[in-house]
Amino acid sequence: MPVMTYGEAIRDGLRQAMKEDERVYLLGEDIAEYGGVYGITKGLVKEFGKKRVKNTPLSEGAIIGEAIGAAIAGLRPVAEIQFSDFMTTAFSTLVDVAAPYRFRIGTPIPMVIRAPSGGGLRIGPYHSKSTEAWYFHVPGLKLVAPSTPSDAKGLLAASIDDNDPVLFFEHKKLYYEIKEEVPDGSYRIPLGKALVRREGSHITLMTYGAMVHLALKTAEKLSKEEGIELEVVDLRTLVPLDEETLLNSFRKTNRVIILHEAPRRGGVGAELESLICEKGFDSLSAPPVRITAKMTPIPVAPQLEDYYLPSEQDIVDAAKRLVQY
Amino acid sequence: MYYYLTLTRHLENKIAYICYSQNPQNPLIIGKGYLSTGQEAISVGASSTLDEGDWLSPSHRDMGAHLVRGMTVKEIFLQYFCRANSPTWGRDSNVHFGVTSKRILSFISHMGSMTPVANGVAAAMVYRGEKNVVLSCFGDGASSQGIVHEALNYAATFKLPVVFVLNNNQIAISTPLHEQTAVEHLALRAAGYGMPGKTIDGNNVIEVYLAVKEAVDRARNGEGPSLIECKTMRMGGHGTHDQYQFLSKKEFEEWKKKDPILWFKNYLKEKGMLDETGEREIEERVEREIEEAVEYARMQPMPKPEDLLKER
Ligand SMILES: Cc1ncc(C[n+]2csc(CCOP(=O)(O)OP(=O)(O)O)c2C)c(N)n1
């Protein structure tokens, strides 16, 4: 199996989907010759031509609008929003038009929006946000947040197959940072299936996206230094949410840490905490802990951004507190 | 204006130089620079028409206007270096300055999103019966955003004292104008909103000054907004990280001949308003200011983590 970075795996996934299905095409700002600002679509225009890899004006509303219309008319558009931050300029088109359409009319809306998301690159309030909670609240949208190259490719294929609008949150810090062996050819990882990335007996840590890597790294450290064994569950998709895998893991450990990069208030973590309390109350040995970003916009200065984002120390402290509770 | 043009060019050259030469593990400039090289005349010419009580709503290639409005070179490097005492306390960086006390609105990355805000500032001035105007700047790419169309229509409807300055550098990151819009002269759009529109040579600082001045006077007299499209060319990558050349070598050389600073310098010399000594004095002054500011900013502390939660 070839070794690919997260970014390369996404490109490979796009290429596979386009080869397999004539209806799949790409649209977005600077995605053709330039290859997008992160170079993810680089080379695809050579292979597939401008009809299928289409540069658009600087207009997210029009991009998402086209994707919706093309999906209604039977194509399978994959739109790139340059930074997930800028999807807000198309918010109404997305939440008012795309989200309730199939519910109301019954027409499939098979579109994917690829949205580079997340922090850690020192690029501040407009290029680093984790915005998933804003869409998490909206019925009719599906939300995917892959953490590894092979997941990214397999989940992308499943997202393109899906008949609902899928927001595909790519973590931009992972694009070049991580690589692994990725299966050749086409394969699918179904939406709505979480994955236990590390078995552990003491605490269940639920997370997604780039935070999965922080969790795994910290789990190894805790195991070595404190003898605390974290079970790390990677959500992979936020909607649909795999309640079963989450609850099964939690019932094994009876303690839970919920970790995400987005700010705390009203975040995805609040929903997970509520799930644990509602459906797992009897198994709780300690109150659930949520580790999140601080409740401010995301800053630029490295000292500030590091303080803003969840850290290894946050997880270590929480884990120690939980086992001693 | 010649001083500000020279200052802008040298300052941005310095930013580019630092970006290229700094240690990536421990960078001085956090993030990148988005430079106005080759199009400085728009920013300097347009902002030079403003009175002290007027407001500037800049785009990301308006270093010149920030300087004309009184932002110091020190403040600019503090911002680029993300220091604790930068205008944004290190919370934001590069082109996102915005010092309200100098009547500068902070640029927001969402392209065009400041146009309706500029309307709001203008509306407040009308509300209070003041005779001030707002200069609202954005690019050709930004002009594709729905919000910009909404703002232009809104401003015209209420005859708000806003001058919309559109820098048409013919490219947005990698997207050339013909993939951005089917309109050749973006100022033509003004007719659709019911305001005057004009396309001018953005490399000619005198032409920019005069056209914007006329629009500013109009706005000040309560006659409403105008759209001034300044045609120019981006003479470099989108940012300091990006070497992408949209132009062929030949086109690049053609545009280089139209360099706005060189042109203005020759013009002033021909008119006897600038000589070699004057030119050298300005360059030396500018270099000194920049070196002092870099040294000053370099020595300032980085923000303390806890200050993230401090209220502003
Ligand atoms: C709403 C939005 N979408 C995408 C971007 C990413 N982006 C940053 S600069 C840029 C191009 C801007 O072009 P233009 O307005 O012409 O200004 P120029 O850079 O040419 O001066 C884009 C697409 C953004 N900042 N805002």
Side-chain angles (χ1 to χ4, degrees):
Chain A
M1 287 195 293
V3 172
M4 291 184 201
T5 63
Y6 186 84
E8 285 162 354
I10 293 167
R11 184 184 314 133
D12 195 44
L14 292 170
R15 180 185 292 120
Q16 291 293 342
M18 291 173 81
K19 276 207 296 217
E20 245 169 56
D21 188 342
E22 276 288 325
R23 296 172 301 174
V24 177
Y25 78 103
L26 316 183
L27 70 164
E29 292 157 21
D30 301 291
I31 66 162
E33 293 83 1
Y34 195 72
V37 290
Y38 285 101
I40 303 304
T41 53
K42 194 131 211 147
L44 294 178
V45 70
K46 260 206 203 105
E47 204 173 331
F48 297 101
K50 271 216 147 175
K51 181 178 141 194
R52 297 187 72 195
V53 184
K54 175 172 170 178
N55 269 348
T56 64
L58 206 174
S59 188
E60 288 74 13
I63 296 169
I64 292 183
E66 168 172 336
I68 298 170
I72 292 173
L75 297 182
R76 295 194 167 257
V78 181
E80 175 177 298
I81 295 297
Q82 209 152 64
F83 288 85
S84 70
D85 306 64
F86 300 133
M87 207 145 64
T88 48
T89 65
F91 196 72
S92 170
T93 313
L94 188 56
V95 309
D96 296 327
V97 185
Y101 207 91
R102 186 148 84 103
F103 168 77
R104 291 166 50 246
I105 312 295
T107 315
I109 310 289
M111 58 186 271
V112 176
I113 299 172
R114 297 181 36 242
S117 170
L121 297 181
R122 324 308 196 194
I123 48 178
Y126 303 112
H127 298 85
S128 311
K129 284 197 291 288
S130 296
T131 61
E132 58 274 14
W134 303 350
Y135 307 99
F136 191 60
H137 188 68
V138 179
L141 300 175
K142 288 185 176 150
L143 269 57
V144 179
S147 69
T148 67
S150 50
D151 264 23
K153 185 175 162 186
L155 288 166
L156 180 63
S159 301
I160 293 173
D161 286 346
D162 202 273
N163 278 335
D164 281 317
V166 177
L167 302 189
F168 197 81
F169 290 103
E170 300 170 5
H171 202 293
K172 62 179 92 76
K173 194 163 188 284
L174 300 181
Y175 276 147
Y176 307 109
E177 209 167 72
I178 56 165
K179 42 174 127 173
E180 66 173 357
E181 288 195 340
V182 173
D184 254 333
S186 162
Y187 64 95
R188 278 149 180 79
I189 293 175
L191 305 188
K193 288 266 175 277
L195 182 71
V196 177
R197 289 232 177 247
R198 183 187 192 278
E199 305 258 355
S201 50
H202 297 128
I203 302 168
T204 293
L205 190 156
M206 305 174 176
T207 188
Y208 55 92
M211 285 292 123
V212 169
H213 301 279
L214 180 70
L216 290 171
K217 198 173 115 221
T218 313
E220 287 310 310
K221 190 183 152 108
L222 275 168
S223 167
K224 260 197 223 105
E225 293 174 11
E226 309 286 339
I228 301 174
E229 298 299 335
L230 293 190
E231 174 144 314
V232 177
V233 187
D234 180 352
L235 262 54
R236 291 168 144 184
T237 62
L238 311 180
V239 181
L241 188 66
D242 183 359
E243 294 191 5
E244 196 185 317
T245 302
L246 294 171
L247 286 168
N248 283 347
S249 170
F250 166 69
R251 289 202 179 100
K252 194 171 104 185
T253 60
N254 309 123
R255 294 177 179 82
V256 68
I257 296 175
I258 295 155
L259 168 68
H260 64 61
E261 206 187 297
R264 182 182 176 87
R265 188 170 59 223
V268 171
E271 189 68 24
L272 298 177
E273 190 166 346
S274 149
L275 170 76
I276 296 298
C277 293
E278 272 182 26
K279 301 204 175 150
F281 190 77
D282 294 342
S283 312
L284 274 170
S285 301
V289 177
R290 259 193 288 161
I291 302 175
T292 65
K294 305 278 185 297
M295 208 54 229
T296 70
I298 181 164
V300 178
Q303 291 79 353
L304 298 182
E305 196 185 28
D306 290 344
Y307 181 71
Y308 167 88
L309 292 171
S311 70
E312 185 176 292
Q313 196 58 45
D314 294 336
I315 302 173
V316 170
D317 292 346
K320 286 196 204 162
R321 234 181 320 133
L322 276 180
V323 290
Q324 281 159 16
Y325 186 85
Chain B
M1 289 201 294
Y2 181 68
Y3 164 75
Y4 284 113
L5 287 171
T6 312
L7 179 58
T8 306
R9 176 70 58 88
H10 284 244
L11 180 57
E12 293 194 328
N13 283 348
K14 185 75 182 178
I15 288 165
Y17 174 78
I18 297 175
C19 285
Y20 297 139
S21 61
Q22 66 188 357
N23 170 2
Q25 260 61 58
N26 186 19
L28 202 50
I29 285 179
I30 316 289
K32 290 127 196 163
Y34 299 92
L35 313 180
S36 61
T37 313
Q39 60 183 69
E40 297 93 337
I42 301 168
S43 196
V44 170
S47 58
S48 294
T49 63
L50 298 183
D51 291 346
E52 209 177 318
D54 297 333
W55 282 77
L56 168 72
S57 174
S59 88
H60 56 299
R61 292 193 209 278
D62 277 317
M63 176 67 84
H66 284 93
L67 295 166
V68 171
R69 288 305 286 164
M71 271 204 70
T72 66
V73 183
K74 280 183 182 163
E75 284 173 315
I76 282 157
F77 281 107
L78 286 171
Q79 175 79 357
Y80 270 90
F81 297 172
C82 277
R83 301 295 148 152
N85 55 342
S86 79
T88 56
W89 294 2
R91 293 174 179 189
D92 210 333
S93 74
N94 58 44
V95 293
H96 302 269
F97 323 97
V99 176
T100 311
S101 61
K102 290 175 182 161
R103 302 211 158 192
I104 302 172
L105 293 176
S106 175
F107 168 71
I108 304 297
S109 287
H110 289 58
M111 289 293 149
S113 61
M114 290 309 284
T115 49
V117 182
N119 285 349
V121 172
M125 294 187 306
V126 172
Y127 187 95
R128 288 198 296 250
E130 294 160 1
K131 286 254 172 240
N132 285 115
V133 303
V134 186
L135 202 63
S136 178
C137 308
F138 55 97
D140 45 296
S143 80
S144 296
Q145 284 283 315
I147 193 74
V148 172
H149 297 276
E150 294 182 29
L152 285 156
N153 180 58
Y154 196 97
T157 303
F158 292 110
K159 276 191 181 302
L160 294 173
V162 187
V163 177
F164 295 100
V165 172
L166 195 169
N167 90 67
N168 179 357
N169 64 12
Q170 306 183 52
I171 183 163
I173 303 193
S174 76
T175 306
L177 198 63
H178 67 88
E179 288 187 10
Q180 188 70 247
T181 176
V183 182
E184 195 190 342
H185 299 296
L186 293 167
L188 290 175
R189 288 183 178 160
Y193 307 116
M195 68 169 81
K198 207 170 183 179
T199 302
I200 60 165
D201 176 1
N203 283 24
N204 182 323
V205 72
I206 300 174
E207 200 175 324
V208 174
Y209 180 87
L210 292 175
V212 175
K213 183 76 171 71
E214 190 188 346
V216 163
D217 290 344
R218 213 179 154 267
R220 219 185 281 293
N221 289 334
E223 293 168 64
S226 316
L227 174 63
I228 313 283
E229 176 197 12
C230 306
K231 275 245 161 99
T232 183
M233 179 54 72
R234 199 185 75 203
M235 297 299 282
H238 172 60
T240 47
H241 57 295
D242 172 21
Q243 294 304 300
Y244 178 78
Q245 284 301 338
F246 158 62
L247 296 175
S248 68
K249 198 142 185 81
K250 188 162 154 275
E251 279 176 303
F252 188 80
E253 291 307 322
E254 286 298 308
W255 274 99
K256 216 168 162 183
K257 281 189 214 141
K258 299 185 205 160
D259 185 296
I261 303 183
L262 198 64
W263 178 84
F264 193 45
K265 183 165 77 184
N266 291 337
Y267 174 89
L268 292 174
K269 281 188 170 168
E270 266 169 38
K271 297 269 172 214
M273 288 145 82
L274 183 75
D275 58 14
E276 298 290 329
T277 329
E279 183 192 339
R280 218 177 23 250
E281 270 171 19
I282 288 184
E283 287 196 356
E284 280 166 11
R285 179 176 154 204
V286 157
E287 279 301 315
R288 202 169 48 243
E289 273 180 68
I290 293 170
E291 287 312 316
E292 278 171 17
V294 169
E295 274 323 299
Y296 168 80
R298 188 203 294 278
M299 303 312 288
Q300 299 305 304
M302 292 301 287
K304 288 202 286 292
E306 318 82 80
D307 287 348
L308 178 67
L309 304 177
K310 217 169 168 186
E311 265 197 51
R312 292 206 62 162

